[in-house]
Amino acid sequence: MIRMIGWDIGGANVKAARILFTDGRAENGRTVRRYFELWNNSGGLHPLLREIYSDLGPADAMVVTMTGELCDAFDDRAEGVASIIDAVRETAPEIPLYAVDLEGRLIRLDGSAVELLTLAPTNWIAEALVLACLQPDCLLVDIGSTTTDLIPIVGGRIAAQGKRDIERLARGELIYTGALRTSVAAIASRIPIHGTICRIAAEYFAISADVHLVLGRLAPEDYTCATPDGREKTKGGALRRLARVACEDSRHLTAGELHAMAAYIAEQQIQQITEGMFQVLSRIEIGLHLPVVPVGIGAFLGEACARRLNLPACDPPALTECGSVALSPCAAAAYLLGEMLSRG
């Protein structure tokens, strides 16, 4: 038996998966997700990783993917990559540490020289590589708290054109919109209210989590990020924050009006993602026939977009035989490393 831990270190979330392999088969495991504002407390990353490692249990090897190197706690991305790798290595310095690079390779971080910028952002690559083996023709739609990844897979190979974030943004494969942390002002500039189209305040008054909580698409316990006003994560609190988007108080707008506002904003977000899907799929001959695999906290948005394109939406595959670990970047990284080490 070998025990793998995969880490996915983002700017707002730390996710980890521990998978147990027996005779080369991923038998069972578990995942952990913690909200953590890396941009506010980069020095707190290592203690958090130690806490998660203690919770998950020991491992024989670890692998890291990341997107948190971009956050403005660091002077540049290379500093961010180095800082994150150091924090992960210090969590269990006695065991081997690997990273996924932009080519999809597992690189042993043993002190040898490595080009830091080839190690990030790579969480989407790990996830797509595993899915390509399990479902060789599909569109991976991973909608997290902050971003959306649109990764086409054709013939068992990743068909994405971009690797670095700037390339992926230009090609529609990365969209900066997510189910929790996206400011409403980044989704819509106007809303229908009282029979008119009203401009909104370009302030950090409400976020996508407020929209989807009001609409019942997220439960309060799914609202894992901080609220814009630092107050309660309830439907009432979300309605109050949404009213401020129109520079109003919630007592001066009816619940029906605020619900309609939330529905319109959600529609605009679905349209953003659907347009990205059109852009990505238009490059592929069979693009508008590919099934969609929606994953992440915003999988419900991916399902809605698939319906707009009249494409089937498939459940993401489980990575362990007992079904305890579903597809995610940290689990995919652990799965890839476990397979590699099982083969010797």
Side-chain angles (χ1 to χ4, degrees):
M1 183 180 71
I2 56 174
R3 305 159 296 181
M4 301 291 107
I5 289 182
W7 299 96
D8 181 20
I9 313 296
N13 292 281
V14 171
K15 287 160 275 189
R18 183 175 185 261
I19 299 181
L20 306 182
F21 285 79
T22 302
D23 297 328
R25 302 188 315 275
E27 290 195 328
N28 58 63
R30 60 183 291 247
T31 59
V32 171
R33 173 192 175 108
R34 300 284 179 85
Y35 178 67
F36 178 73
E37 296 180 351
L38 183 60
W39 68 90
N40 274 335
N41 183 20
S42 59
L45 179 60
H46 172 58
L48 175 62
L49 298 184
R50 283 293 304 172
E51 178 184 323
I52 293 173
Y53 184 82
S54 177
D55 180 27
L56 286 174
D60 300 301
M62 301 192 302
V63 56
V64 60
T65 68
M66 67 187 80
T67 56
E69 82 290 342
L70 187 63
C71 76
D72 50 17
F74 310 114
D75 288 338
D76 56 37
R77 292 171 55 242
E79 179 191 340
V81 173
S83 179
I84 289 170
I85 288 174
D86 286 345
V88 175
R89 180 184 285 115
E90 291 167 10
T91 300
E94 70 283 0
I95 68 174
L97 175 63
Y98 295 77
V100 180
D101 76 357
L102 289 173
E103 301 299 325
R105 298 171 300 197
L106 289 163
I107 305 299
R108 175 77 178 266
L109 302 177
D110 56 4
S112 303
V114 60
E115 175 53 53
L116 292 173
L117 292 183
T118 66
L119 305 181
T122 55
N123 61 348
W124 65 273
I125 294 178
E127 193 173 33
L129 283 171
V130 172
L131 183 59
C133 296
L134 303 174
Q135 189 156 346
D137 294 290
C138 64
L139 177 69
L140 172 62
V141 179
D142 187 339
I143 304 177
S145 64
T146 311
T147 60
T148 294
D149 293 304
L150 304 176
I151 314 300
I153 295 170
V154 180
R157 298 175 65 86
I158 298 174
Q161 291 188 340
K163 289 182 179 175
R164 299 175 61 233
D165 276 354
I166 191 170
E167 298 167 349
R168 300 179 61 231
L169 285 166
R171 289 162 175 79
E173 295 161 358
L174 173 62
I175 304 172
Y176 253 81
T177 195
L180 298 182
R181 296 184 56 246
T182 305
S183 170
V184 162
I187 299 173
S189 60
R190 304 175 182 217
I191 54 170
I193 191 166
H194 295 157
T196 64
I197 299 297
C198 178
R199 291 176 176 83
I200 68 171
E203 289 281 359
Y204 189 59
F205 283 144
I207 55 179
S208 49
D210 294 313
V211 170
H212 300 305
L213 181 60
V214 165
L215 296 175
R217 297 171 183 172
L218 288 176
E221 57 268 25
D222 296 323
Y223 198 140
T224 55
C225 64
T227 62
D229 59 3
R231 299 175 71 179
E232 70 273 14
K233 301 175 183 180
T234 62
K235 185 173 181 179
L239 290 170
R240 183 180 63 248
R241 289 186 285 272
L242 283 172
R244 287 221 168 90
V245 169
C247 300
E248 191 53 276
D249 297 323
S250 57
R251 65 176 178 272
H252 294 143
L253 294 169
T254 69
E257 288 168 336
L258 289 169
H259 191 278
M261 180 193 302
Y264 178 82
I265 295 165
E267 178 66 25
Q268 293 300 299
Q269 188 174 40
I270 289 168
Q271 186 61 29
Q272 286 179 351
I273 299 168
T274 303
E275 287 180 359
M277 291 169 66
F278 265 122
Q279 181 181 352
V280 170
L281 295 175
S282 69
R283 301 193 295 263
I284 300 167
E285 183 67 26
I286 61 169
L288 290 178
H289 298 282
L290 290 176
V292 172
V293 180
V295 299
I297 187 71
F300 63 90
L301 290 168
E303 292 168 2
C305 295
R307 288 194 295 271
R308 299 295 168 84
L309 296 179
N310 199 30
L311 296 175
C314 306
D315 291 334
L319 300 189
T320 55
E321 292 185 353
C322 69
S324 58
V325 177
L327 182 68
S328 68
C330 61
Y335 185 90
L336 290 171
L337 181 60
E339 282 209 321
M340 185 185 80
L341 295 183
S342 294
R343 293 193 303 266

